[in-house]
Amino acid sequence: YLSAYKDIEQLAGALGTAGKVKNADERFVLAFLITKWSREFGFDPVEVAAVALTESEFNPKAVSPKNARGLMQIHAPTWPMDDYFNAEENIKKSMQILYMYRNSQPKSYLKRYYGDTGKGGDRYVRKIKGNYEKLAKTYKGAKAANYDRNPL
């Protein structure tokens, strides 16, 4: 448990520094939820945090012009759920979606999540990579995300 707590604590620090989440309690809760669900589905928590930073800047109440909602910007018409603004449910649903895409199309799962496998998807993946690097600088021991699965 101590190792998991340290991982969560380090990710919470990264969310505060690179992710600009000001409230310490909110940082810890988001770090816990991201770590919990990313590990459940076999993802690097820093990579998942980079997706959340890219999608909503860690705003669990975000709504896009295309009707994507919540922390991980789940597209409401495509992926129905009860409460898009519940951070845990939103993260869990996004992990299910990313897991499905990664298993069916491992080289383009992030682009599929974005909804564009062309140039727009390339820009999206580059933005995630940049956010990953920002978060990883603060998160000690972060391993490099396996971006070989989604080459640009």
Side-chain angles (χ1 to χ4, degrees), residues 101-114:
Y101 285 154
R102 186 181 65 187
N103 286 341
S104 66
Q105 297 184 332
K107 292 186 178 189
S108 62
Y109 71 98
L110 289 172
K111 293 178 188 181
R112 291 283 316 268
Y113 186 78
Y114 180 66

Side-chain angles (χ1 to χ4, degrees), residues 2-152:
L2 185 58
S3 174
Y5 180 80
K6 285 182 181 180
D7 288 347
I8 293 165
E9 189 173 50
Q10 287 177 334
L11 185 56
L15 299 183
T17 303
K20 302 175 186 165
V21 179
K22 303 294 182 210
N23 182 287
D25 290 338
E26 184 180 345
R27 281 195 308 265
F28 194 84
V29 168
L30 289 175
F32 170 77
L33 295 173
I34 289 169
T35 301
K36 172 185 174 181
W37 290 109
S38 61
R39 286 183 173 180
E40 179 75 22
F41 286 91
F43 284 90
D44 174 359
V46 179
E47 181 181 11
V48 174
V51 172
L53 177 57
T54 302
E55 289 289 351
S56 70
E57 296 184 341
F58 297 110
N59 178 0
K61 303 294 184 197
V63 178
S64 80
K66 294 186 178 185
N67 206 20
R69 300 176 184 180
L71 188 74
M72 301 293 286
Q73 290 292 279
I74 307 296
H75 189 244
T78 307
W79 304 102
M81 52 187 291
D82 292 333
D83 186 359
Y84 293 92
F85 304 114
N86 176 300
E88 181 163 18
E89 292 302 312
N90 195 276
I91 293 166
K92 179 181 175 184
K93 183 66 147 184
S94 72
M95 291 295 84
Q96 292 169 340
I97 296 165
L98 282 165
Y99 182 82
M100 178 188 69
Y101 285 154
R102 186 181 65 187
N103 286 341
S104 66
Q105 297 184 332
K107 292 186 178 189
S108 62
Y109 71 98
L110 289 172
K111 293 178 188 181
R112 291 283 316 268
Y113 186 78
Y114 180 66
D116 183 345
T117 56
K119 290 183 182 183
D122 292 342
R123 283 189 297 276
Y124 177 74
V125 171
R126 282 193 298 273
K127 190 170 183 180
I128 289 174
K129 284 182 181 182
N131 285 333
Y132 181 92
E133 292 305 320
K134 279 194 262 184
L135 292 164
K137 282 180 185 177
T138 305
Y139 183 86
K140 293 167 182 52
K143 59 185 184 291
N146 187 357
Y147 289 113
D148 292 338
R149 293 182 289 210
N150 51 18
L152 297 178

